[in-house]
């Protein structure tokens, strides 16, 4: 069984790793964490919420939260 967590760093998302870890342990499941980053073409300026480094930091944050609970997630960007 797999659990997918969409993580954006917001308050509701911050509860997801804890809930996911409890479910993964109870169901012997793995966890994938996804953060959708921008894909830009041409010379258009990126919006602040589409900053690739922000999405990478969010994935690292979710990764750390899960590893503290003994879960080794797969990170997807």
């Amino acid at each position: 069984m797999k659990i997918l967590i969409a993580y954006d760093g917001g308050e509701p998302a911050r509860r997801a790793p804890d809930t996911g870890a409890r479910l993964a342990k109870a169901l012997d499941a793995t966890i994938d964490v996804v953060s959708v980053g921008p894909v830009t073409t041409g010379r258009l300026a990126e919006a602040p919420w589409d900053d690739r480094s922000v999405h990478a930091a969010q994935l690292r944050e979710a990764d750390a939260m899960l590893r503290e609970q003994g879960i080794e997630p797969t990170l997807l960007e």
Side-chain angles (χ1 to χ4, degrees), residues 45-75:
E46 291 183 15
W49 54 85
D50 283 343
D51 186 339
R52 203 172 205 113
S53 64
V54 170
H55 291 276
Q58 291 167 347
L59 281 174
R60 287 191 303 273
E61 181 177 72
D63 182 60
M65 295 167 91
L66 287 162
R67 288 181 184 275
E68 285 178 5
Q69 298 189 52
I71 303 291
E72 294 186 28
T74 299
L75 305 178

Side-chain angles (χ1 to χ4, degrees), residues 1-3 5 16-31 65-72:
M1 178 176 284
K2 287 189 173 197
I3 296 169
I5 295 173
D18 182 54
T19 302
R22 284 187 278 125
L23 284 170
K25 289 175 185 178
L27 301 172
D28 193 31
T30 61
I31 295 181
M65 295 167 91
L66 287 162
R67 288 181 184 275
E68 285 178 5
Q69 298 189 52
I71 303 291
E72 294 186 28

Side-chain angles (χ1 to χ4, degrees), residues 31-55:
I31 295 181
D32 293 347
V33 181
V34 63
S35 177
V36 179
V39 176
T40 58
T41 58
R43 303 179 83 175
L44 297 174
E46 291 183 15
W49 54 85
D50 283 343
D51 186 339
R52 203 172 205 113
S53 64
V54 170
H55 291 276

